[in-house]
Amino acid sequence: MLLALTVPVFLTFLGVLTGVLVVILLAKSLLGIVVIGELEVGIVAKKFARTSLAAGRLIALEGEAGLQADTLAPGWHFFLWPWQFSVSKEPVTVVPQGEIGLVVANGGAVIPPSHMLGRVVECDDYQDARAFLTKGGEKGRQLGILTAGTYRINTALFTILTRRNAESMGMNPNELVVYRVVPDAVGIVTTLDGVPIEPGEIAGPVIPEHDNFQDAQRFLVAGGRRGLQEQVLLSGAWNLNPWFCRVEQVPMTEIPIGHVGVVISFVGRPAQDVSGADFTHGNLVEVGHKGIWVTPLYPGRQPLNTRIMRVELVPTTNIVLNWANRTEAHGYDNSLSSITVRSRDGFSFNLDVAQIIHVGALDAPRVISRVGSMQNLVDHVLEPIVGNYFRNSSQEYTVLDYLTNRAERQRDAASFIRTALATYNVQAVDTLIGDIVPPQQLMTTQTDRKLAEEQRKTYEVQQAAQTQRQALVRETSIADIQSELVKSEQGVNIAELNANSQVKKVRGEAEAAKLRAGGEAESTRLRAIADSEATRLRGVGEAEAIRAIGQAKAEAYQVGVASLGTREFTALQLMQIIGDRQVKITPDVQANGGGAGSGAGGLVEALVGLLVQSQQGASPVPAPPPQPGPAAPNEPAA
């Protein structure tokens, strides 16, 4: 029973489904239904119509037979009967991130001969084919590009190039990416479309408001020129049409520390000289004008277009240039060598010279304007000035003058070269004479003389050393007795102090003695006066006494003479005196004369007697005879 019911139901459902499918198929055919998916675009081709496309046209705008400009959006579309229309479903166009899409229009107006690419028209990024055609879109490669995104493009009218199909279209896939300028670099742009560059110019001028060549249409409308451009691209990512412009990346211009950059611009506004009337060796212009900029570039990195301008680096530090068999790291003196000169006495010899120069930052443009480059300054200015000076001046001196008066020759050279370079706005810091290579035969004589002189100096030094050694020994000895010397000096000082003390003491005592002497003198004077008076008085008394005694004796002598007689009285007085004075009148030893009968005694016996007497003791010395005084009056005269 169940099986009987199930089979009819299944057959009924199958019949209904079949009927629906038939209806749908009939409806699609009868109603012309076309279903477009979400990621599809319907390209419609009309198989027949009352009118046909005009010659040269590819896309129909007025219902002509052929490919239609309008496309089918996602959804259901009716009355597109398959017997009249052919609808192809194409995938939407996708431009991935980091890429661009190039557009080739298969229909449209003809591009003018002066143009290379089709101009951009308002057509919703080429999604509105009708607008493109009706607004004058041009056939061929387009200025406009597609950036990253999804587009419903009428592929019958437009061919879109991405990295996926670039090779099949003869393009390099790497050209269909967002162009990136790396840091520390600049992009030099060359445009492939636009009006020609004006005669006499090498690059197109800067055009404003074209978003760094990303809006090619605005660039051309504003009068952009075809070819090399003044404007550069800085670091970043740019949506550039490779059919419109090419970019070359170059490093930024780096001005090292200790340098300035003098800009020589080949493009810009007309040159207007600002160097002044005193400078007649070239034109200096303001920044942005054609010519040598009066303001140099200072150390750092500069985003310059090196295709339209040149930067001449000028060192602002001291530069050493060697006229010798060596060169400095800057390499400006690579072509310089030792200077061969001839002296007044006819000898040829070589001089090594080093010249130190300095170029100020503000003087650098003037130097470059005058000589062109630093290498030209060395080759065309310094080399002739320095070389010719030494060649000319050396003829006024002998070789020995250079050897013995080198410092003076160096000062003269520095003064001359400083004045000469000042006219070129170059400061000559110093001129140094290096090695002097005189003739060998002259040097042999000088060497012998120098050796002899050095030997003499050696002897003098040795002599001085010996003298110094002697002085050292002497000083050592002095040092050894220094303590005793100090003691002696201190003793001397003490003695001086004591002497000074004694002197002061003596002076004090002398002063006291002087005072005492004064007192004593006065006392003595008084005493002397008293003594003198007393002596006078005593003398008077004594004189009176003597006179009295004398008178008494005189009287006694007179009496004695009168009594005894003069002779007898005198003998008596002599005997009295001999007795009073104990005068010997007989000899102690008698020596007899040597007679015949006396034997050998005589003088010898007398001498022996004297010797014995001297051993026993000296005989008493006889008293001197009394001095005769005045005779008493009663004594007779002798």
Side-chain angles (χ1 to χ4, degrees):
M1 182 66 182
L2 181 60
L3 181 60
L5 293 175
T6 302
V7 172
V9 172
F10 175 74
L11 294 175
T12 301
F13 176 76
L14 183 60
V16 172
L17 180 60
T18 302
V20 171
L21 291 175
V22 170
V23 171
I24 290 174
L25 291 174
L26 291 175
K28 182 179 180 181
S29 298
L30 295 176
L31 299 177
I33 298 174
V34 176
V35 180
I36 304 300
E38 293 182 358
L39 297 178
E40 294 177 338
V41 60
I43 307 298
V44 179
K46 195 172 186 179
K47 296 180 180 179
F48 59 90
R50 291 192 297 271
T51 58
S52 300
L53 288 172
R57 293 182 57 190
L58 177 65
I59 305 298
L61 295 174
E62 303 296 336
E64 301 93 341
L67 294 171
Q68 303 298 305
D70 300 322
T71 59
L72 301 179
W76 289 56
H77 300 271
F78 297 92
F79 309 115
L80 296 173
W81 297 282
W83 47 269
Q84 188 177 9
F85 298 97
S86 173
V87 179
S88 62
K89 299 178 181 181
E90 300 292 336
V92 294
T93 300
V94 177
V95 179
Q97 289 292 331
E99 298 182 15
I100 61 172
L102 299 179
V103 180
V104 178
N106 299 320
V110 178
I111 297 176
S114 60
H115 296 170
M116 301 293 295
L117 301 174
R119 296 301 181 258
V120 177
V121 296
E122 288 293 335
C123 58
D124 191 18
D125 289 326
Y126 301 102
Q127 295 181 104
D128 189 346
R130 180 176 291 276
F132 176 83
L133 294 174
T134 56
K135 293 181 179 181
E138 297 172 344
K139 184 191 305 183
R141 295 179 176 183
Q142 301 296 305
L143 276 175
I145 61 173
L146 299 178
T147 58
T150 301
Y151 302 90
R152 300 183 181 279
I153 302 295
N154 187 339
T155 55
L157 178 60
F158 302 108
T159 300
I160 308 301
L161 279 70
T162 62
R163 293 193 67 185
R164 187 180 64 252
N165 62 350
E167 291 184 351
S168 62
M169 304 295 292
M171 292 287 293
N172 184 350
N174 293 329
E175 294 179 338
L176 301 178
V177 296
V178 175
Y179 191 85
R180 299 182 183 277
V181 179
V182 300
D184 298 329
V186 294
I188 298 176
V189 180
T190 301
T191 58
L192 306 176
D193 203 351
V195 296
I197 294 175
E198 294 182 359
E201 301 291 340
I202 64 171
V206 177
I207 302 298
E209 299 181 357
H210 55 80
D211 196 14
N212 291 294
F213 303 99
Q214 294 181 111
D215 191 342
Q217 179 71 16
R218 182 170 294 180
F219 173 85
L220 296 177
V221 171
R225 305 285 175 167
R226 181 188 307 173
L228 181 65
Q229 301 297 310
E230 290 186 29
Q231 184 178 349
V232 296
L233 293 178
L234 300 181
S235 175
W238 312 101
N239 292 313
L240 302 178
N241 187 337
W243 291 335
F244 168 68
C245 64
R246 300 286 181 177
V247 180
E248 176 190 5
Q249 293 193 44
V250 296
M252 285 188 178
T253 300
E254 182 175 358
I255 310 298
I257 296 176
H259 294 70
V260 294
V262 178
V263 178
I264 305 171
S265 179
F266 307 116
V267 300
R269 296 187 291 276
Q272 296 180 355
D273 185 22
V274 296
S275 61
D278 295 336
F279 187 75
T280 59
H281 304 285
N283 295 333
L284 299 178
V285 300
E286 294 292 348
V287 176
H289 290 257
K290 184 185 298 185
I292 299 176
W293 291 356
V294 70
T295 303
L297 300 178
Y298 292 94
R301 291 180 176 175
Q302 307 289 340
L304 301 181
N305 188 337
T306 55
R307 295 292 181 270
I308 62 172
M309 61 182 60
R310 179 169 62 88
V311 176
E312 185 68 28
L313 293 179
V314 177
T316 55
T317 55
N318 288 349
I319 305 173
V320 179
L321 302 170
N322 293 308
W323 278 259
N325 294 326
R326 63 181 183 277
T327 59
E328 298 294 331
H330 50 65
Y332 293 137
D333 53 359
N334 286 338
S335 60
L336 303 180
S337 59
S338 298
I339 303 173
T340 301
V341 299
R342 183 178 296 276
S343 64
R344 187 178 63 188
D345 47 0
F347 289 103
S348 295
F349 60 97
N350 292 332
L351 286 177
D352 286 354
V353 177
Q355 178 65 50
I356 305 174
I357 64 171
H358 173 75
V359 178
L362 298 180
D363 289 331
R366 295 176 179 270
V367 173
I368 298 304
S369 177
R370 185 165 187 162
V371 299
S373 67
M374 288 299 296
Q375 191 62 55
N376 288 344
L377 175 67
V378 175
D379 295 341
H380 302 158
V381 177
L382 282 163
E383 200 282 330
I385 290 177
V386 175
N388 289 335
Y389 169 79
F390 282 103
R391 294 185 188 97
N392 294 337
S393 63
S394 63
Q395 296 180 356
E396 301 176 3
Y397 306 100
T398 65
V399 178
L400 294 182
D401 286 336
Y402 267 94
L403 292 175
T404 58
N405 300 316
R406 172 176 169 178
E408 184 177 353
R409 302 288 81 75
Q410 184 171 284
R411 286 193 299 270
D412 294 343
S415 177
F416 176 85
I417 295 172
R418 184 179 298 110
T419 302
L421 291 184
T423 60
Y424 292 86
N425 301 104
V426 178
Q427 302 173 27
V429 178
D430 203 355
T431 302
L432 305 173
I433 298 178
D435 292 338
I436 301 176
V437 186
Q440 183 62 38
Q441 60 271 27
L442 181 62
M443 283 307 298
T444 301
T445 304
Q446 294 299 315
T447 301
D448 294 342
R449 184 182 304 172
K450 187 64 176 177
L451 290 176
E453 182 180 354
E454 291 300 325
Q455 287 179 350
R456 180 181 60 81
K457 291 182 179 180
T458 301
Y459 297 150
E460 292 177 355
V461 170
Q462 291 176 350
Q463 181 181 1
Q466 292 298 327
T467 303
Q468 187 68 22
R469 187 182 64 82
Q470 294 173 2
L472 176 62
V473 173
R474 183 168 56 254
E475 293 296 330
T476 303
S477 300
I478 293 174
D480 292 340
I481 63 173
Q482 190 68 29
S483 59
E484 298 179 4
L485 181 61
V486 171
K487 291 179 181 179
S488 300
E489 290 178 353
Q490 294 301 320
V492 171
N493 293 335
I494 294 171
E496 289 179 356
L497 294 175
N498 291 334
N500 292 334
S501 176
Q502 292 296 327
V503 169
K504 292 181 178 178
K505 182 177 179 182
V506 169
R507 287 178 179 174
E509 291 177 351
E511 189 68 24
K514 181 179 180 182
L515 295 175
R516 286 195 301 270
E520 291 177 356
E522 185 65 22
S523 176
T524 301
R525 185 179 67 80
L526 295 176
R527 285 195 302 269
I529 293 172
D531 291 344
S532 175
E533 187 64 24
T535 301
R536 186 181 66 80
L537 293 176
R538 282 194 303 271
V540 171
E542 290 177 356
E544 290 295 331
I546 292 170
R547 185 180 300 113
I549 293 169
Q551 289 177 358
K553 286 182 177 183
E555 291 177 356
Y557 287 157
Q558 290 175 358
V559 173
V561 168
S563 300
L564 296 176
T566 301
R567 182 172 183 172
E568 285 81 0
F569 185 77
T570 300
L572 179 63
Q573 288 296 320
L574 288 173
M575 293 302 292
Q576 186 180 353
I577 292 170
I578 290 169
D580 290 340
R581 299 296 178 94
Q582 297 179 358
V583 177
K584 291 182 178 183
I585 60 177
T586 58
D588 293 332
V589 179
Q590 182 177 0
N592 297 320
S598 63
L603 183 58
V604 175
E605 291 176 355
L607 293 174
V608 172
L610 287 175
L611 179 61
V612 172
Q613 186 179 358
S614 65
Q615 291 178 351
Q616 290 177 353
S619 63
V621 177
Q627 298 291 330
N634 54 357
E635 293 180 356

